[in-house]
Amino acid sequence: MSLTLKGLHHVSAITAKAPENFRFYTEVLGLRLIKKTVNQDDISVYHLFYGDEVGNPGTELTFFELPNAGRNRDGNNSISALSLRVPDDKSLDYWKQRFSSLSVEHDEIVSRGGRLTLAFRDHEGQRFILVSDEHNEGVAAGRPWAKSPVPQEYGITGLGPAHLTVEASEHTALVLEKVLGFSRKSTYPSLTPGQPDVIVFETGEGGSGAEVHLEERTDLPGQRLGRGGVHHVAFRVDNEEELKQWVEHIRSAQLPNSGFVDRFYFRSLYFREPNGILFELATDGPGFATDEPLAHLGESLALPPFLESKRAQIEAHLKPLDTRQ
């Protein structure tokens, strides 16, 4: 297959309370809010985008606000953990101390697939893994925001490997390799005794910004998605013309899909792999400066043109993100 994905584009998760989410990801993790908008499929709730200083593809962590969502029940057939890249091993020591001082639940620093990592959970139980880029080669990292409360030399630089946990790994592996063009890079031992090795897949230039880690677990129930869970993972497509080729490719693979979707800030295609995990393919552009200057990203409610006529209605139902103002 001549089509090649460039790496991770963004990941989208679920929060029950946007103001608390905003405080954690900007004040604790030091990410920049790069777009404050609404869920285009439910305009009564926020869709928040965090990222590096300009919201580069591959640095975007997004959240749908679902106020009545129950807590996520961790389990199989899920995006079971998200990774965030940091510059080096020394950064992990900084973050471990920061998490301890701020009472953020975290584990010890351990090696996964040849990289040092630090697992933690956010205030809603969302599972994350900080990944050191000390020896990383491949997809370039982003640049942390200069106005972040976290020093730039330790700041989060983008998305690391997406961790998938499934009951039957061969089905997901088939889609990754034969449909999406990923290649098997390596394996490493599961941190759960008695379980199969985790399989590392990579695409594009490779490296921590272009990997999927696939773990087979036979001892878990199925996930029940809720707050603190991950809705989907998106992979990078260079441009709109290439995305249209992907639409035809996914259709020819007989995978049920959304077809071409215009999200204004990027163009998308959605489909589920055989274990039910939702994948998205998304273009690198147009980008988040389409309707706001770079210096003021995320400061005001941004709406795509097709929702602008409903601005008054939308704003009347949204609560302020920073409730202390």
PDB file of all heavy atoms in Angstrom, residues 7-38:
ATOM      1  N   GLY A   7       1.863   9.343  11.775  1.00  0.00           N
ATOM      2  CA  GLY A   7       2.015   9.183  13.219  1.00  0.00           C
ATOM      3  C   GLY A   7       0.713   9.514  13.914  1.00  0.00           C
ATOM      4  O   GLY A   7      -0.359   9.550  13.303  1.00  0.00           O
ATOM      5  N   LEU A   8       0.778   9.773  15.215  1.00  0.00           N
ATOM      6  CA  LEU A   8      -0.405  10.154  15.980  1.00  0.00           C
ATOM      7  C   LEU A   8      -0.783  11.595  15.665  1.00  0.00           C
ATOM      8  O   LEU A   8       0.085  12.465  15.560  1.00  0.00           O
ATOM      9  CB  LEU A   8      -0.132   9.999  17.473  1.00  0.00           C
ATOM     10  CG  LEU A   8       0.054   8.552  17.936  1.00  0.00           C
ATOM     11  CD1 LEU A   8       0.835   8.503  19.226  1.00  0.00           C
ATOM     12  CD2 LEU A   8      -1.298   7.876  18.117  1.00  0.00           C
ATOM     13  N   HIS A   9      -2.081  11.854  15.530  1.00  0.00           N
ATOM     14  CA  HIS A   9      -2.579  13.209  15.282  1.00  0.00           C
ATOM     15  C   HIS A   9      -3.147  13.814  16.570  1.00  0.00           C
ATOM     16  O   HIS A   9      -2.702  14.856  17.035  1.00  0.00           O
ATOM     17  CB  HIS A   9      -3.654  13.175  14.198  1.00  0.00           C
ATOM     18  CG  HIS A   9      -4.142  14.521  13.754  1.00  0.00           C
ATOM     19  ND1 HIS A   9      -5.021  15.279  14.502  1.00  0.00           N
ATOM     20  CD2 HIS A   9      -3.881  15.252  12.634  1.00  0.00           C
ATOM     21  CE1 HIS A   9      -5.276  16.428  13.871  1.00  0.00           C
ATOM     22  NE2 HIS A   9      -4.599  16.423  12.737  1.00  0.00           N
ATOM     23  N   HIS A  10      -4.150  13.147  17.136  1.00  0.00           N
ATOM     24  CA  HIS A  10      -4.703  13.567  18.416  1.00  0.00           C
ATOM     25  C   HIS A  10      -5.381  12.376  19.080  1.00  0.00           C
ATOM     26  O   HIS A  10      -5.574  11.336  18.458  1.00  0.00           O
ATOM     27  CB  HIS A  10      -5.698  14.730  18.262  1.00  0.00           C
ATOM     28  CG  HIS A  10      -6.982  14.377  17.580  1.00  0.00           C
ATOM     29  ND1 HIS A  10      -7.161  14.485  16.216  1.00  0.00           N
ATOM     30  CD2 HIS A  10      -8.169  13.891  18.058  1.00  0.00           C
ATOM     31  CE1 HIS A  10      -8.388  14.112  15.898  1.00  0.00           C
ATOM     32  NE2 HIS A  10      -9.018  13.735  16.996  1.00  0.00           N
ATOM     33  N   VAL A  11      -5.707  12.543  20.335  1.00  0.00           N
ATOM     34  CA  VAL A  11      -6.505  11.566  21.054  1.00  0.00           C
ATOM     35  C   VAL A  11      -7.635  12.323  21.748  1.00  0.00           C
ATOM     36  O   VAL A  11      -7.452  13.464  22.172  1.00  0.00           O
ATOM     37  CB  VAL A  11      -5.682  10.760  22.081  1.00  0.00           C
ATOM     38  CG1 VAL A  11      -4.721   9.811  21.392  1.00  0.00           C
ATOM     39  CG2 VAL A  11      -4.924  11.690  23.016  1.00  0.00           C
ATOM     40  N   SER A  12      -8.807  11.702  21.842  1.00  0.00           N
ATOM     41  CA  SER A  12      -9.956  12.361  22.453  1.00  0.00           C
ATOM     42  C   SER A  12     -10.507  11.489  23.575  1.00  0.00           C
ATOM     43  O   SER A  12     -10.758  10.299  23.385  1.00  0.00           O
ATOM     44  CB  SER A  12     -11.047  12.617  21.411  1.00  0.00           C
ATOM     45  OG  SER A  12     -10.619  13.589  20.472  1.00  0.00           O
ATOM     46  N   ALA A  13     -10.704  12.119  24.734  1.00  0.00           N
ATOM     47  CA  ALA A  13     -11.173  11.421  25.922  1.00  0.00           C
ATOM     48  C   ALA A  13     -12.422  12.115  26.462  1.00  0.00           C
ATOM     49  O   ALA A  13     -12.899  13.099  25.897  1.00  0.00           O
ATOM     50  CB  ALA A  13     -10.062  11.379  26.974  1.00  0.00           C
ATOM     51  N   ILE A  14     -12.937  11.599  27.577  1.00  0.00           N
ATOM     52  CA  ILE A  14     -14.195  12.086  28.129  1.00  0.00           C
ATOM     53  C   ILE A  14     -13.976  12.639  29.534  1.00  0.00           C
ATOM     54  O   ILE A  14     -13.309  12.016  30.365  1.00  0.00           O
ATOM     55  CB  ILE A  14     -15.235  10.957  28.168  1.00  0.00           C
ATOM     56  CG1 ILE A  14     -15.588  10.521  26.736  1.00  0.00           C
ATOM     57  CG2 ILE A  14     -16.504  11.383  28.908  1.00  0.00           C
ATOM     58  CD1 ILE A  14     -16.470   9.296  26.660  1.00  0.00           C
ATOM     59  N   THR A  15     -14.529  13.830  29.766  1.00  0.00           N
ATOM     60  CA  THR A  15     -14.533  14.433  31.094  1.00  0.00           C
ATOM     61  C   THR A  15     -15.969  14.755  31.476  1.00  0.00           C
ATOM     62  O   THR A  15     -16.813  15.016  30.621  1.00  0.00           O
ATOM     63  CB  THR A  15     -13.682  15.713  31.140  1.00  0.00           C
ATOM     64  OG1 THR A  15     -13.723  16.257  32.479  1.00  0.00           O
ATOM     65  CG2 THR A  15     -14.195  16.770  30.173  1.00  0.00           C
ATOM     66  N   ALA A  16     -16.252  14.736  32.780  1.00  0.00           N
ATOM     67  CA  ALA A  16     -17.591  15.095  33.242  1.00  0.00           C
ATOM     68  C   ALA A  16     -17.680  16.565  33.621  1.00  0.00           C
ATOM     69  O   ALA A  16     -18.772  17.123  33.668  1.00  0.00           O
ATOM     70  CB  ALA A  16     -17.995  14.227  34.427  1.00  0.00           C
ATOM     71  N   LYS A  17     -16.528  17.200  33.894  1.00  0.00           N
ATOM     72  CA  LYS A  17     -16.540  18.589  34.357  1.00  0.00           C
ATOM     73  C   LYS A  17     -15.432  19.375  33.659  1.00  0.00           C
ATOM     74  O   LYS A  17     -14.248  19.252  34.020  1.00  0.00           O
ATOM     75  CB  LYS A  17     -16.367  18.648  35.873  1.00  0.00           C
ATOM     76  CG  LYS A  17     -17.523  18.011  36.638  1.00  0.00           C
ATOM     77  CD  LYS A  17     -17.332  18.120  38.142  1.00  0.00           C
ATOM     78  CE  LYS A  17     -18.515  17.507  38.892  1.00  0.00           C
ATOM     79  NZ  LYS A  17     -18.332  17.587  40.369  1.00  0.00           N
ATOM     80  N   ALA A  18     -15.819  20.175  32.681  1.00  0.00           N
ATOM     81  CA  ALA A  18     -14.833  20.917  31.900  1.00  0.00           C
ATOM     82  C   ALA A  18     -13.987  21.871  32.744  1.00  0.00           C
ATOM     83  O   ALA A  18     -12.774  21.964  32.519  1.00  0.00           O
ATOM     84  CB  ALA A  18     -15.535  21.670  30.772  1.00  0.00           C
ATOM     85  N   PRO A  19     -14.544  22.621  33.711  1.00  0.00           N
ATOM     86  CA  PRO A  19     -13.691  23.520  34.495  1.00  0.00           C
ATOM     87  C   PRO A  19     -12.582  22.795  35.258  1.00  0.00           C
ATOM     88  O   PRO A  19     -11.441  23.271  35.299  1.00  0.00           O
ATOM     89  CB  PRO A  19     -14.682  24.208  35.453  1.00  0.00           C
ATOM     90  CG  PRO A  19     -15.988  24.164  34.726  1.00  0.00           C
ATOM     91  CD  PRO A  19     -15.973  22.828  34.022  1.00  0.00           C
ATOM     92  N   GLU A  20     -12.897  21.647  35.869  1.00  0.00           N
ATOM     93  CA  GLU A  20     -11.872  20.882  36.573  1.00  0.00           C
ATOM     94  C   GLU A  20     -10.848  20.325  35.592  1.00  0.00           C
ATOM     95  O   GLU A  20      -9.638  20.277  35.888  1.00  0.00           O
ATOM     96  CB  GLU A  20     -12.506  19.753  37.378  1.00  0.00           C
ATOM     97  CG  GLU A  20     -13.376  20.232  38.529  1.00  0.00           C
ATOM     98  CD  GLU A  20     -13.994  19.093  39.308  1.00  0.00           C
ATOM     99  OE1 GLU A  20     -13.641  17.916  39.039  1.00  0.00           O
ATOM    100  OE2 GLU A  20     -14.836  19.369  40.187  1.00  0.00           O
ATOM    101  N   ASN A  21     -11.312  19.894  34.439  1.00  0.00           N
ATOM    102  CA  ASN A  21     -10.418  19.407  33.394  1.00  0.00           C
ATOM    103  C   ASN A  21      -9.458  20.512  32.965  1.00  0.00           C
ATOM    104  O   ASN A  21      -8.241  20.292  32.852  1.00  0.00           O
ATOM    105  CB  ASN A  21     -11.263  18.923  32.219  1.00  0.00           C
ATOM    106  CG  ASN A  21     -10.453  18.369  31.070  1.00  0.00           C
ATOM    107  OD1 ASN A  21     -10.032  19.116  30.200  1.00  0.00           O
ATOM    108  ND2 ASN A  21     -10.251  17.067  31.055  1.00  0.00           N
ATOM    109  N   PHE A  22      -9.983  21.694  32.737  1.00  0.00           N
ATOM    110  CA  PHE A  22      -9.176  22.848  32.324  1.00  0.00           C
ATOM    111  C   PHE A  22      -8.087  23.138  33.350  1.00  0.00           C
ATOM    112  O   PHE A  22      -6.922  23.356  32.995  1.00  0.00           O
ATOM    113  CB  PHE A  22     -10.092  24.058  32.141  1.00  0.00           C
ATOM    114  CG  PHE A  22      -9.381  25.353  31.921  1.00  0.00           C
ATOM    115  CD1 PHE A  22      -8.676  25.596  30.745  1.00  0.00           C
ATOM    116  CD2 PHE A  22      -9.412  26.352  32.887  1.00  0.00           C
ATOM    117  CE1 PHE A  22      -8.014  26.807  30.539  1.00  0.00           C
ATOM    118  CE2 PHE A  22      -8.758  27.556  32.694  1.00  0.00           C
ATOM    119  CZ  PHE A  22      -8.053  27.783  31.518  1.00  0.00           C
ATOM    120  N   ARG A  23      -8.441  23.131  34.629  1.00  0.00           N
ATOM    121  CA  ARG A  23      -7.438  23.427  35.659  1.00  0.00           C
ATOM    122  C   ARG A  23      -6.340  22.368  35.689  1.00  0.00           C
ATOM    123  O   ARG A  23      -5.153  22.692  35.788  1.00  0.00           O
ATOM    124  CB  ARG A  23      -8.117  23.545  37.031  1.00  0.00           C
ATOM    125  CG  ARG A  23      -8.887  24.837  37.206  1.00  0.00           C
ATOM    126  CD  ARG A  23      -9.209  25.093  38.666  1.00  0.00           C
ATOM    127  NE  ARG A  23     -10.160  24.122  39.196  1.00  0.00           N
ATOM    128  CZ  ARG A  23     -11.473  24.260  39.114  1.00  0.00           C
ATOM    129  NH1 ARG A  23     -12.004  25.301  38.512  1.00  0.00           N
ATOM    130  NH2 ARG A  23     -12.274  23.355  39.644  1.00  0.00           N
ATOM    131  N   PHE A  24      -6.729  21.082  35.606  1.00  0.00           N
ATOM    132  CA  PHE A  24      -5.719  20.028  35.695  1.00  0.00           C
ATOM    133  C   PHE A  24      -4.737  20.092  34.527  1.00  0.00           C
ATOM    134  O   PHE A  24      -3.514  20.036  34.726  1.00  0.00           O
ATOM    135  CB  PHE A  24      -6.377  18.643  35.740  1.00  0.00           C
ATOM    136  CG  PHE A  24      -5.390  17.516  35.925  1.00  0.00           C
ATOM    137  CD1 PHE A  24      -5.019  17.109  37.189  1.00  0.00           C
ATOM    138  CD2 PHE A  24      -4.820  16.863  34.837  1.00  0.00           C
ATOM    139  CE1 PHE A  24      -4.091  16.086  37.374  1.00  0.00           C
ATOM    140  CE2 PHE A  24      -3.899  15.844  35.007  1.00  0.00           C
ATOM    141  CZ  PHE A  24      -3.539  15.458  36.287  1.00  0.00           C
ATOM    142  N   TYR A  25      -5.270  20.219  33.320  1.00  0.00           N
ATOM    143  CA  TYR A  25      -4.395  20.104  32.155  1.00  0.00           C
ATOM    144  C   TYR A  25      -3.570  21.366  31.880  1.00  0.00           C
ATOM    145  O   TYR A  25      -2.501  21.271  31.278  1.00  0.00           O
ATOM    146  CB  TYR A  25      -5.205  19.663  30.933  1.00  0.00           C
ATOM    147  CG  TYR A  25      -5.556  18.199  31.070  1.00  0.00           C
ATOM    148  CD1 TYR A  25      -6.751  17.814  31.673  1.00  0.00           C
ATOM    149  CD2 TYR A  25      -4.665  17.207  30.704  1.00  0.00           C
ATOM    150  CE1 TYR A  25      -7.049  16.474  31.875  1.00  0.00           C
ATOM    151  CE2 TYR A  25      -4.954  15.870  30.903  1.00  0.00           C
ATOM    152  CZ  TYR A  25      -6.141  15.512  31.495  1.00  0.00           C
ATOM    153  OH  TYR A  25      -6.410  14.190  31.713  1.00  0.00           O
ATOM    154  N   THR A  26      -4.029  22.506  32.348  1.00  0.00           N
ATOM    155  CA  THR A  26      -3.234  23.717  32.172  1.00  0.00           C
ATOM    156  C   THR A  26      -2.338  23.996  33.380  1.00  0.00           C
ATOM    157  O   THR A  26      -1.181  24.372  33.218  1.00  0.00           O
ATOM    158  CB  THR A  26      -4.139  24.938  31.906  1.00  0.00           C
ATOM    159  OG1 THR A  26      -5.052  25.110  32.995  1.00  0.00           O
ATOM    160  CG2 THR A  26      -4.902  24.766  30.602  1.00  0.00           C
ATOM    161  N   GLU A  27      -2.858  23.786  34.591  1.00  0.00           N
ATOM    162  CA  GLU A  27      -2.097  24.147  35.790  1.00  0.00           C
ATOM    163  C   GLU A  27      -1.201  23.022  36.286  1.00  0.00           C
ATOM    164  O   GLU A  27      -0.096  23.277  36.769  1.00  0.00           O
ATOM    165  CB  GLU A  27      -3.051  24.582  36.894  1.00  0.00           C
ATOM    166  CG  GLU A  27      -3.836  25.842  36.541  1.00  0.00           C
ATOM    167  CD  GLU A  27      -4.804  26.244  37.637  1.00  0.00           C
ATOM    168  OE1 GLU A  27      -4.738  25.672  38.742  1.00  0.00           O
ATOM    169  OE2 GLU A  27      -5.639  27.145  37.378  1.00  0.00           O
ATOM    170  N   VAL A  28      -1.654  21.785  36.192  1.00  0.00           N
ATOM    171  CA  VAL A  28      -0.841  20.652  36.657  1.00  0.00           C
ATOM    172  C   VAL A  28       0.080  20.157  35.544  1.00  0.00           C
ATOM    173  O   VAL A  28       1.300  20.059  35.727  1.00  0.00           O
ATOM    174  CB  VAL A  28      -1.726  19.503  37.184  1.00  0.00           C
ATOM    175  CG1 VAL A  28      -0.864  18.303  37.584  1.00  0.00           C
ATOM    176  CG2 VAL A  28      -2.550  19.979  38.371  1.00  0.00           C
ATOM    177  N   LEU A  29      -0.491  19.856  34.364  1.00  0.00           N
ATOM    178  CA  LEU A  29       0.335  19.343  33.263  1.00  0.00           C
ATOM    179  C   LEU A  29       0.987  20.454  32.443  1.00  0.00           C
ATOM    180  O   LEU A  29       1.917  20.190  31.679  1.00  0.00           O
ATOM    181  CB  LEU A  29      -0.499  18.446  32.350  1.00  0.00           C
ATOM    182  CG  LEU A  29      -1.005  17.131  32.965  1.00  0.00           C
ATOM    183  CD1 LEU A  29      -1.579  16.237  31.875  1.00  0.00           C
ATOM    184  CD2 LEU A  29       0.097  16.401  33.731  1.00  0.00           C
ATOM    185  N   GLY A  30       0.505  21.675  32.573  1.00  0.00           N
ATOM    186  CA  GLY A  30       1.160  22.797  31.893  1.00  0.00           C
ATOM    187  C   GLY A  30       0.922  22.864  30.400  1.00  0.00           C
ATOM    188  O   GLY A  30       1.687  23.502  29.674  1.00  0.00           O
ATOM    189  N   LEU A  31      -0.143  22.220  29.915  1.00  0.00           N
ATOM    190  CA  LEU A  31      -0.449  22.274  28.494  1.00  0.00           C
ATOM    191  C   LEU A  31      -1.159  23.590  28.155  1.00  0.00           C
ATOM    192  O   LEU A  31      -1.753  24.236  29.021  1.00  0.00           O
ATOM    193  CB  LEU A  31      -1.339  21.096  28.097  1.00  0.00           C
ATOM    194  CG  LEU A  31      -0.726  19.707  28.302  1.00  0.00           C
ATOM    195  CD1 LEU A  31      -1.777  18.629  28.035  1.00  0.00           C
ATOM    196  CD2 LEU A  31       0.477  19.508  27.395  1.00  0.00           C
ATOM    197  N   ARG A  32      -1.116  23.966  26.906  1.00  0.00           N
ATOM    198  CA  ARG A  32      -1.828  25.158  26.463  1.00  0.00           C
ATOM    199  C   ARG A  32      -3.216  24.768  25.959  1.00  0.00           C
ATOM    200  O   ARG A  32      -3.348  23.800  25.188  1.00  0.00           O
ATOM    201  CB  ARG A  32      -1.065  25.867  25.336  1.00  0.00           C
ATOM    202  CG  ARG A  32      -1.731  27.168  24.908  1.00  0.00           C
ATOM    203  CD  ARG A  32      -1.010  27.852  23.764  1.00  0.00           C
ATOM    204  NE  ARG A  32      -1.626  29.163  23.522  1.00  0.00           N
ATOM    205  CZ  ARG A  32      -1.299  29.975  22.518  1.00  0.00           C
ATOM    206  NH1 ARG A  32      -0.364  29.611  21.647  1.00  0.00           N
ATOM    207  NH2 ARG A  32      -1.913  31.145  22.377  1.00  0.00           N
ATOM    208  N   LEU A  33      -4.251  25.490  26.390  1.00  0.00           N
ATOM    209  CA  LEU A  33      -5.569  25.327  25.791  1.00  0.00           C
ATOM    210  C   LEU A  33      -5.520  26.010  24.425  1.00  0.00           C
ATOM    211  O   LEU A  33      -5.436  27.240  24.342  1.00  0.00           O
ATOM    212  CB  LEU A  33      -6.649  25.960  26.664  1.00  0.00           C
ATOM    213  CG  LEU A  33      -8.081  25.841  26.123  1.00  0.00           C
ATOM    214  CD1 LEU A  33      -8.558  24.396  26.125  1.00  0.00           C
ATOM    215  CD2 LEU A  33      -9.037  26.727  26.915  1.00  0.00           C
ATOM    216  N   ILE A  34      -5.544  25.216  23.360  1.00  0.00           N
ATOM    217  CA  ILE A  34      -5.363  25.770  22.020  1.00  0.00           C
ATOM    218  C   ILE A  34      -6.683  25.994  21.280  1.00  0.00           C
ATOM    219  O   ILE A  34      -6.719  26.714  20.288  1.00  0.00           O
ATOM    220  CB  ILE A  34      -4.428  24.892  21.166  1.00  0.00           C
ATOM    221  CG1 ILE A  34      -4.948  23.450  21.123  1.00  0.00           C
ATOM    222  CG2 ILE A  34      -3.001  24.948  21.688  1.00  0.00           C
ATOM    223  CD1 ILE A  34      -4.191  22.557  20.177  1.00  0.00           C
ATOM    224  N   LYS A  35      -7.757  25.384  21.785  1.00  0.00           N
ATOM    225  CA  LYS A  35      -9.056  25.633  21.166  1.00  0.00           C
ATOM    226  C   LYS A  35     -10.163  25.313  22.171  1.00  0.00           C
ATOM    227  O   LYS A  35     -10.212  24.213  22.733  1.00  0.00           O
ATOM    228  CB  LYS A  35      -9.246  24.781  19.902  1.00  0.00           C
ATOM    229  CG  LYS A  35     -10.442  25.149  19.062  1.00  0.00           C
ATOM    230  CD  LYS A  35     -10.333  26.579  18.510  1.00  0.00           C
ATOM    231  CE  LYS A  35      -9.117  26.777  17.618  1.00  0.00           C
ATOM    232  NZ  LYS A  35      -9.052  28.151  17.048  1.00  0.00           N
ATOM    233  N   LYS A  36     -10.999  26.315  22.392  1.00  0.00           N
ATOM    234  CA  LYS A  36     -12.186  26.150  23.239  1.00  0.00           C
ATOM    235  C   LYS A  36     -13.387  26.213  22.316  1.00  0.00           C
ATOM    236  O   LYS A  36     -13.764  27.269  21.823  1.00  0.00           O
ATOM    237  CB  LYS A  36     -12.247  27.249  24.295  1.00  0.00           C
ATOM    238  CG  LYS A  36     -13.474  27.188  25.190  1.00  0.00           C
ATOM    239  CD  LYS A  36     -13.367  28.143  26.380  1.00  0.00           C
ATOM    240  CE  LYS A  36     -13.225  29.593  25.961  1.00  0.00           C
ATOM    241  NZ  LYS A  36     -13.285  30.503  27.114  1.00  0.00           N
ATOM    242  N   THR A  37     -13.985  25.055  22.061  1.00  0.00           N
ATOM    243  CA  THR A  37     -15.096  24.991  21.136  1.00  0.00           C
ATOM    244  C   THR A  37     -16.130  24.017  21.696  1.00  0.00           C
ATOM    245  O   THR A  37     -16.108  23.692  22.892  1.00  0.00           O
ATOM    246  CB  THR A  37     -14.616  24.601  19.723  1.00  0.00           C
ATOM    247  OG1 THR A  37     -15.697  24.677  18.798  1.00  0.00           O
ATOM    248  CG2 THR A  37     -13.994  23.218  19.704  1.00  0.00           C
ATOM    249  N   VAL A  38     -17.073  23.584  20.866  1.00  0.00           N
ATOM    250  CA  VAL A  38     -18.105  22.662  21.322  1.00  0.00           C
ATOM    251  C   VAL A  38     -18.041  21.378  20.509  1.00  0.00           C
ATOM    252  O   VAL A  38     -17.482  21.334  19.413  1.00  0.00           O
ATOM    253  CB  VAL A  38     -19.517  23.276  21.199  1.00  0.00           C
ATOM    254  CG1 VAL A  38     -19.679  24.435  22.172  1.00  0.00           C
ATOM    255  CG2 VAL A  38     -19.829  23.706  19.770  1.00  0.00           C
TER     256      VAL A  38
END
